[in-house]
Amino acid sequence: MKYGVPRIPHEFYAVPARNAGLLLDGPRFSAMIVATTGHMARMNTISPAAFVRFKRWMAEQPDRDPMKRQRDILQANMVEELIVEYLPHLQQ
């Protein structure tokens, strides 16, 4: 499969985001997560602060769809609130 070309209708596929290097090259974040069943797992992902910066950058792009821009802002605000409340050591 080439990027952005699904083999099967309704199949999920990766679409590279502009400036995704901000996420890929940024700091990593790892935390234990607990399901409602009590099962635990380690989640390895990008830094929440890097996610906030990326979403704010996306929302500022003049060609960004207004609906997506609004979603980007809401996501950035929500993760920023989580950082302030639960992960203050990650604030910059």
Side-chain angles (χ1 to χ4, degrees):
M1 172 176 71
K2 295 180 182 177
Y3 267 124
V5 180
R7 293 176 297 192
I8 303 168
H10 307 347
E11 180 181 67
F12 289 106
Y13 57 95
V15 177
R18 283 182 296 166
N19 217 8
L22 290 174
L23 301 175
L24 298 174
D25 299 333
R28 302 288 177 236
F29 179 79
S30 183
M32 290 301 294
I33 56 172
V34 182
T36 56
T37 61
H39 289 92
M40 297 174 64
R42 176 154 301 275
M43 177 181 65
N44 297 304
T45 186
I46 61 168
S47 162
F51 177 84
V52 170
R53 283 191 304 276
F54 181 74
K55 284 299 195 169
R56 293 212 190 283
W57 175 83
M58 287 290 289
E60 293 171 0
Q61 300 310 298
D63 61 339
R64 186 78 167 150
D65 178 293
M67 294 288 283
K68 291 181 180 180
R69 180 179 295 129
Q70 196 60 23
R71 183 194 62 202
D72 293 336
I73 292 167
L74 290 171
Q75 289 173 340
N77 290 344
M78 184 66 89
V79 173
E80 192 168 57
E81 285 181 34
L82 292 172
I83 292 169
V84 169
E85 182 83 21
Y86 300 104
L87 304 165
H89 60 285
L90 298 179
Q91 292 183 45
Q92 295 182 12

